[in-house]
PDB file of all heavy atoms in Angstrom:
ATOM      1  N   ASP A 284      17.050  15.282 -80.173  1.00 98.00           N
ATOM      2  CA  ASP A 284      17.233  14.080 -81.015  1.00 98.00           C
ATOM      3  C   ASP A 284      18.133  13.063 -80.326  1.00 98.00           C
ATOM      4  O   ASP A 284      17.941  11.843 -80.467  1.00 98.00           O
ATOM      5  CB  ASP A 284      17.867  14.469 -82.331  1.00 98.00           C
ATOM      6  CG  ASP A 284      17.086  13.933 -83.546  1.00 98.00           C
ATOM      7  OD1 ASP A 284      16.079  13.260 -83.353  1.00 98.00           O
ATOM      8  OD2 ASP A 284      17.536  14.167 -84.696  1.00 98.00           O
ATOM      9  N   PHE A 322       7.102  18.965 -90.420  1.00 98.00           N
ATOM     10  CA  PHE A 322       7.598  17.595 -90.446  1.00 98.00           C
ATOM     11  C   PHE A 322       8.922  17.440 -89.619  1.00 98.00           C
ATOM     12  O   PHE A 322       9.022  16.584 -88.761  1.00 98.00           O
ATOM     13  CB  PHE A 322       7.811  17.191 -91.905  1.00 98.00           C
ATOM     14  CG  PHE A 322       8.692  16.012 -92.127  1.00 98.00           C
ATOM     15  CD1 PHE A 322       8.262  14.683 -91.905  1.00 98.00           C
ATOM     16  CD2 PHE A 322      10.044  16.170 -92.612  1.00 98.00           C
ATOM     17  CE1 PHE A 322       9.065  13.615 -92.164  1.00 98.00           C
ATOM     18  CE2 PHE A 322      10.867  15.086 -92.829  1.00 98.00           C
ATOM     19  CZ  PHE A 322      10.395  13.789 -92.609  1.00 98.00           C
ATOM     20  N   GLU A 323       9.945  18.274 -89.933  1.00 98.00           N
ATOM     21  CA  GLU A 323      11.166  18.182 -89.224  1.00 98.00           C
ATOM     22  C   GLU A 323      11.042  18.335 -87.727  1.00 98.00           C
ATOM     23  O   GLU A 323      11.649  17.649 -86.951  1.00 98.00           O
ATOM     24  CB  GLU A 323      12.199  19.183 -89.774  1.00 98.00           C
ATOM     25  CG  GLU A 323      12.547  19.073 -91.205  1.00 98.00           C
ATOM     26  CD  GLU A 323      13.373  17.791 -91.556  1.00 98.00           C
ATOM     27  OE1 GLU A 323      13.704  17.034 -90.629  1.00 98.00           O
ATOM     28  OE2 GLU A 323      13.620  17.585 -92.757  1.00 98.00           O
ATOM     29  N   ILE A 326       9.168  15.088 -86.353  1.00 98.00           N
ATOM     30  CA  ILE A 326       9.937  13.830 -86.270  1.00 98.00           C
ATOM     31  C   ILE A 326      11.115  13.942 -85.287  1.00 98.00           C
ATOM     32  O   ILE A 326      11.411  12.977 -84.605  1.00 98.00           O
ATOM     33  CB  ILE A 326      10.370  13.289 -87.646  1.00 98.00           C
ATOM     34  CG1 ILE A 326      11.375  14.215 -88.320  1.00 98.00           C
ATOM     35  CG2 ILE A 326       9.131  13.058 -88.530  1.00 98.00           C
ATOM     36  CD1 ILE A 326      12.068  13.598 -89.518  1.00 98.00           C
ATOM     37  N   ARG A 327      11.750  15.137 -85.278  1.00 98.00           N
ATOM     38  CA  ARG A 327      12.972  15.232 -84.449  1.00 98.00           C
ATOM     39  C   ARG A 327      12.594  15.652 -83.030  1.00 98.00           C
ATOM     40  O   ARG A 327      13.002  15.021 -82.047  1.00 98.00           O
ATOM     41  CB  ARG A 327      13.929  16.230 -85.036  1.00 98.00           C
ATOM     42  CG  ARG A 327      14.389  15.837 -86.445  1.00 98.00           C
ATOM     43  CD  ARG A 327      15.462  16.779 -86.951  1.00 98.00           C
ATOM     44  NE  ARG A 327      15.557  16.702 -88.397  1.00 98.00           N
ATOM     45  CZ  ARG A 327      16.652  16.750 -89.132  1.00 98.00           C
ATOM     46  NH1 ARG A 327      17.855  16.864 -88.487  1.00 98.00           N
ATOM     47  NH2 ARG A 327      16.646  16.742 -90.413  1.00 98.00           N
ATOM     48  N   SER A 399       3.946  11.849 -92.571  1.00 98.00           N
ATOM     49  CA  SER A 399       4.925  11.243 -91.627  1.00 98.00           C
ATOM     50  C   SER A 399       4.913  12.029 -90.315  1.00 98.00           C
ATOM     51  O   SER A 399       5.973  12.385 -89.749  1.00 98.00           O
ATOM     52  CB  SER A 399       6.345  11.245 -92.196  1.00 98.00           C
ATOM     53  OG  SER A 399       6.350  10.688 -93.470  1.00 98.00           O
ATOM     54  N   ASP A 460       9.825   9.153 -99.519  1.00 98.00           N
ATOM     55  CA  ASP A 460      10.209   8.042 -98.708  1.00 98.00           C
ATOM     56  C   ASP A 460       9.282   7.628 -97.521  1.00 98.00           C
ATOM     57  O   ASP A 460       8.657   6.614 -97.488  1.00 98.00           O
ATOM     58  CB  ASP A 460      11.680   8.263 -98.149  1.00 98.00           C
ATOM     59  CG  ASP A 460      11.894   9.655 -97.613  1.00 98.00           C
ATOM     60  OD1 ASP A 460      10.960  10.485 -97.448  1.00 98.00           O
ATOM     61  OD2 ASP A 460      13.056   9.977 -97.260  1.00 98.00           O
ATOM     62  N   SER A 461       9.153   8.527 -96.546  1.00 98.00           N
ATOM     63  CA  SER A 461       8.512   8.094 -95.304  1.00 98.00           C
ATOM     64  C   SER A 461       6.955   8.046 -95.434  1.00 98.00           C
ATOM     65  O   SER A 461       6.293   7.555 -94.511  1.00 98.00           O
ATOM     66  CB  SER A 461       8.945   8.964 -94.119  1.00 98.00           C
ATOM     67  OG  SER A 461       8.860  10.282 -94.452  1.00 98.00           O
ATOM     68  N   GLU A 464       6.763   4.468 -95.540  1.00 98.00           N
ATOM     69  CA  GLU A 464       7.179   3.935 -94.215  1.00 98.00           C
ATOM     70  C   GLU A 464       6.087   4.055 -93.161  1.00 98.00           C
ATOM     71  O   GLU A 464       5.772   3.165 -92.403  1.00 98.00           O
ATOM     72  CB  GLU A 464       8.420   4.748 -93.764  1.00 98.00           C
ATOM     73  CG  GLU A 464       8.966   4.360 -92.399  1.00 98.00           C
ATOM     74  CD  GLU A 464      10.127   5.298 -92.002  1.00 98.00           C
ATOM     75  OE1 GLU A 464      10.620   6.143 -92.797  1.00 98.00           O
ATOM     76  OE2 GLU A 464      10.577   5.204 -90.821  1.00 98.00           O
ATOM     77  N   HIS A 528      20.419   7.840-101.329  1.00 98.00           N
ATOM     78  CA  HIS A 528      20.697   7.008-100.122  1.00 98.00           C
ATOM     79  C   HIS A 528      19.506   6.905 -99.243  1.00 98.00           C
ATOM     80  O   HIS A 528      19.283   5.941 -98.574  1.00 98.00           O
ATOM     81  CB  HIS A 528      21.907   7.625 -99.354  1.00 98.00           C
ATOM     82  CG  HIS A 528      22.275   6.826 -98.156  1.00 98.00           C
ATOM     83  ND1 HIS A 528      21.701   6.952 -96.941  1.00 98.00           N
ATOM     84  CD2 HIS A 528      23.137   5.769 -98.004  1.00 98.00           C
ATOM     85  CE1 HIS A 528      22.205   6.062 -96.105  1.00 98.00           C
ATOM     86  NE2 HIS A 528      23.076   5.324 -96.753  1.00 98.00           N
ATOM     87  N   LEU A 529      18.663   7.943 -99.301  1.00 98.00           N
ATOM     88  CA  LEU A 529      17.432   7.909 -98.469  1.00 98.00           C
ATOM     89  C   LEU A 529      16.555   6.702 -98.735  1.00 98.00           C
ATOM     90  O   LEU A 529      15.864   6.236 -97.859  1.00 98.00           O
ATOM     91  CB  LEU A 529      16.591   9.218 -98.787  1.00 98.00           C
ATOM     92  CG  LEU A 529      17.149  10.512 -98.242  1.00 98.00           C
ATOM     93  CD1 LEU A 529      16.354  11.685 -98.881  1.00 98.00           C
ATOM     94  CD2 LEU A 529      17.034  10.593 -96.770  1.00 98.00           C
ATOM     95  N   LEU A 625      26.215  12.823 -95.584  1.00 98.00           N
ATOM     96  CA  LEU A 625      25.722  13.671 -94.455  1.00 98.00           C
ATOM     97  C   LEU A 625      25.570  12.867 -93.161  1.00 98.00           C
ATOM     98  O   LEU A 625      24.850  13.275 -92.237  1.00 98.00           O
ATOM     99  CB  LEU A 625      24.338  14.261 -94.821  1.00 98.00           C
ATOM    100  CG  LEU A 625      24.274  15.065 -96.144  1.00 98.00           C
ATOM    101  CD1 LEU A 625      22.881  15.691 -96.314  1.00 98.00           C
ATOM    102  CD2 LEU A 625      25.305  16.186 -96.157  1.00 98.00           C
ATOM    103  N   LEU A 626      26.270  11.755 -93.060  1.00 98.00           N
ATOM    104  CA  LEU A 626      26.255  10.888 -91.820  1.00 98.00           C
ATOM    105  C   LEU A 626      24.873  10.257 -91.736  1.00 98.00           C
ATOM    106  O   LEU A 626      24.352  10.064 -90.603  1.00 98.00           O
ATOM    107  CB  LEU A 626      26.573  11.681 -90.564  1.00 98.00           C
ATOM    108  CG  LEU A 626      27.832  12.537 -90.523  1.00 98.00           C
ATOM    109  CD1 LEU A 626      27.838  13.442 -89.317  1.00 98.00           C
ATOM    110  CD2 LEU A 626      29.054  11.656 -90.502  1.00 98.00           C
ATOM    111  N   ARG A 627      24.253   9.991 -92.864  1.00 98.00           N
ATOM    112  CA  ARG A 627      22.847   9.510 -92.854  1.00 98.00           C
ATOM    113  C   ARG A 627      22.701   8.119 -92.232  1.00 98.00           C
ATOM    114  O   ARG A 627      23.610   7.294 -92.344  1.00 98.00           O
ATOM    115  CB  ARG A 627      22.250   9.528 -94.206  1.00 98.00           C
ATOM    116  CG  ARG A 627      21.905  10.943 -94.719  1.00 98.00           C
ATOM    117  CD  ARG A 627      20.916  10.838 -95.897  1.00 98.00           C
ATOM    118  NE  ARG A 627      20.740  12.106 -96.536  1.00 98.00           N
ATOM    119  CZ  ARG A 627      19.921  13.053 -96.241  1.00 98.00           C
ATOM    120  NH1 ARG A 627      19.157  12.861 -95.135  1.00 98.00           N
ATOM    121  NH2 ARG A 627      19.784  14.131 -96.923  1.00 98.00           N
ATOM    122  N   PRO A 628      21.480   7.801 -91.731  1.00 98.00           N
ATOM    123  CA  PRO A 628      21.266   6.518 -91.053  1.00 98.00           C
ATOM    124  C   PRO A 628      20.630   5.389 -91.886  1.00 98.00           C
ATOM    125  O   PRO A 628      20.611   4.237 -91.430  1.00 98.00           O
ATOM    126  CB  PRO A 628      20.242   6.935 -89.976  1.00 98.00           C
ATOM    127  CG  PRO A 628      19.395   7.988 -90.681  1.00 98.00           C
ATOM    128  CD  PRO A 628      20.361   8.723 -91.530  1.00 98.00           C
ATOM    129  N   GLU A 629      20.064   5.687 -93.067  1.00 98.00           N
ATOM    130  CA  GLU A 629      19.114   4.708 -93.674  1.00 98.00           C
ATOM    131  C   GLU A 629      19.675   3.326 -93.852  1.00 98.00           C
ATOM    132  O   GLU A 629      19.017   2.343 -93.614  1.00 98.00           O
ATOM    133  CB  GLU A 629      18.568   5.224 -94.990  1.00 98.00           C
ATOM    134  CG  GLU A 629      17.626   6.430 -94.827  1.00 98.00           C
ATOM    135  CD  GLU A 629      18.322   7.752 -94.552  1.00 98.00           C
ATOM    136  OE1 GLU A 629      19.582   7.825 -94.836  1.00 98.00           O
ATOM    137  OE2 GLU A 629      17.676   8.701 -94.032  1.00 98.00           O
ATOM    138  N   GLU A 632      20.113   1.615 -90.527  1.00 98.00           N
ATOM    139  CA  GLU A 632      18.733   1.329 -90.045  1.00 98.00           C
ATOM    140  C   GLU A 632      18.232   0.022 -90.611  1.00 98.00           C
ATOM    141  O   GLU A 632      17.751  -0.870 -89.883  1.00 98.00           O
ATOM    142  CB  GLU A 632      17.838   2.496 -90.465  1.00 98.00           C
ATOM    143  CG  GLU A 632      16.324   2.244 -90.311  1.00 98.00           C
ATOM    144  CD  GLU A 632      15.511   3.388 -90.922  1.00 98.00           C
ATOM    145  OE1 GLU A 632      16.108   4.430 -91.275  1.00 98.00           O
ATOM    146  OE2 GLU A 632      14.295   3.242 -91.016  1.00 98.00           O
ATOM    147  N   THR A 687      21.799  16.388 -86.789  1.00 98.00           N
ATOM    148  CA  THR A 687      21.227  15.871 -85.567  1.00 98.00           C
ATOM    149  C   THR A 687      20.945  14.378 -85.620  1.00 98.00           C
ATOM    150  O   THR A 687      21.001  13.626 -84.624  1.00 98.00           O
ATOM    151  CB  THR A 687      19.937  16.573 -85.171  1.00 98.00           C
ATOM    152  OG1 THR A 687      18.862  16.098 -85.984  1.00 98.00           O
ATOM    153  CG2 THR A 687      20.005  18.070 -85.316  1.00 98.00           C
ATOM    154  N   PHE A 688      20.629  13.888 -86.842  1.00 98.00           N
ATOM    155  CA  PHE A 688      20.282  12.460 -86.962  1.00 98.00           C
ATOM    156  C   PHE A 688      21.492  11.554 -86.796  1.00 98.00           C
ATOM    157  O   PHE A 688      21.310  10.316 -86.724  1.00 98.00           O
ATOM    158  CB  PHE A 688      19.519  12.172 -88.249  1.00 98.00           C
ATOM    159  CG  PHE A 688      20.073  12.771 -89.479  1.00 98.00           C
ATOM    160  CD1 PHE A 688      21.222  12.317 -90.086  1.00 98.00           C
ATOM    161  CD2 PHE A 688      19.350  13.776 -90.184  1.00 98.00           C
ATOM    162  CE1 PHE A 688      21.722  12.892 -91.249  1.00 98.00           C
ATOM    163  CE2 PHE A 688      19.839  14.345 -91.355  1.00 98.00           C
ATOM    164  CZ  PHE A 688      21.035  13.873 -91.917  1.00 98.00           C
ATOM    165  N   GLU A 692      19.786   8.915 -84.895  1.00 98.00           N
ATOM    166  CA  GLU A 692      19.513   7.716 -85.643  1.00 98.00           C
ATOM    167  C   GLU A 692      20.714   6.819 -85.897  1.00 98.00           C
ATOM    168  O   GLU A 692      20.726   5.654 -85.516  1.00 98.00           O
ATOM    169  CB  GLU A 692      18.928   8.129 -87.034  1.00 98.00           C
ATOM    170  CG  GLU A 692      17.641   8.857 -86.995  1.00 98.00           C
ATOM    171  CD  GLU A 692      17.004   8.881 -88.355  1.00 98.00           C
ATOM    172  OE1 GLU A 692      16.552   7.852 -88.860  1.00 98.00           O
ATOM    173  OE2 GLU A 692      16.903   9.980 -88.963  1.00 98.00           O
ATOM    174  N   ASN A 715       9.903   5.933 -85.115  1.00 98.00           N
ATOM    175  CA  ASN A 715       9.458   6.956 -86.058  1.00 98.00           C
ATOM    176  C   ASN A 715      10.532   7.155 -87.078  1.00 98.00           C
ATOM    177  O   ASN A 715      11.606   6.561 -87.008  1.00 98.00           O
ATOM    178  CB  ASN A 715       8.984   8.239 -85.317  1.00 98.00           C
ATOM    179  CG  ASN A 715      10.154   9.225 -85.049  1.00 98.00           C
ATOM    180  OD1 ASN A 715      11.325   8.850 -85.019  1.00 98.00           O
ATOM    181  ND2 ASN A 715       9.823  10.475 -84.834  1.00 98.00           N
ATOM    182  N   THR A 716      10.317   7.996 -88.074  1.00 98.00           N
ATOM    183  CA  THR A 716      11.287   8.101 -89.210  1.00 98.00           C
ATOM    184  C   THR A 716      12.595   8.803 -88.715  1.00 98.00           C
ATOM    185  O   THR A 716      13.530   8.870 -89.473  1.00 98.00           O
ATOM    186  CB  THR A 716      10.633   8.806 -90.378  1.00 98.00           C
ATOM    187  OG1 THR A 716      11.531   8.581 -91.496  1.00 98.00           O
ATOM    188  CG2 THR A 716      10.368  10.248 -90.184  1.00 98.00           C
ATOM    189  N   GLU A 717      12.618   9.273 -87.495  1.00 98.00           N
ATOM    190  CA  GLU A 717      13.830   9.834 -86.953  1.00 98.00           C
ATOM    191  C   GLU A 717      14.442   8.882 -85.875  1.00 98.00           C
ATOM    192  O   GLU A 717      15.174   9.304 -85.005  1.00 98.00           O
ATOM    193  CB  GLU A 717      13.523  11.238 -86.371  1.00 98.00           C
ATOM    194  CG  GLU A 717      14.720  12.076 -85.937  1.00 98.00           C
ATOM    195  CD  GLU A 717      15.567  12.600 -87.106  1.00 98.00           C
ATOM    196  OE1 GLU A 717      15.186  12.474 -88.265  1.00 98.00           O
ATOM    197  OE2 GLU A 717      16.614  13.247 -86.783  1.00 98.00           O
ATOM    198  N   ALA A 718      13.979   7.636 -85.909  1.00 98.00           N
ATOM    199  CA  ALA A 718      14.501   6.595 -85.012  1.00 98.00           C
ATOM    200  C   ALA A 718      14.103   6.746 -83.520  1.00 98.00           C
ATOM    201  O   ALA A 718      14.822   6.236 -82.639  1.00 98.00           O
ATOM    202  CB  ALA A 718      16.019   6.451 -85.096  1.00 98.00           C
TER     203      ALA A 718
HETATM  204  C1  DMJ B1727      15.857  11.906 -91.193  1.00 65.90           C
HETATM  205  O1  DMJ B1727      15.601  13.163 -90.676  1.00 65.90           O
HETATM  206  C2  DMJ B1727      14.610  11.147 -91.321  1.00 65.90           C
HETATM  207  O2  DMJ B1727      14.932   9.790 -91.401  1.00 65.90           O
HETATM  208  C3  DMJ B1727      13.822  11.533 -92.563  1.00 65.90           C
HETATM  209  O3  DMJ B1727      12.750  10.672 -92.789  1.00 65.90           O
HETATM  210  C4  DMJ B1727      14.646  11.621 -93.790  1.00 65.90           C
HETATM  211  N1  DMJ B1727      15.959  11.370 -93.550  1.00 65.90           N
HETATM  212  C5  DMJ B1727      16.668  11.966 -92.456  1.00 65.90           C
HETATM  213  C6  DMJ B1727      18.001  11.332 -92.244  1.00 65.90           C
HETATM  214  O4  DMJ B1727      18.629  11.007 -93.380  1.00 65.90           O
END
Side-chain angles (χ1 to χ4, degrees):
D284 231 1
F322 162 76
E323 297 292 358
I326 66 167
R327 301 186 201 218
S399 309
D460 48 7
S461 47
E464 179 185 352
H528 183 273
L529 288 169
L625 305 183
L626 308 169
R627 283 199 193 275
E629 290 76 19
E632 167 185 351
T687 76
F688 46 69
E692 297 195 68
N715 86 339
T716 192
E717 190 73 5

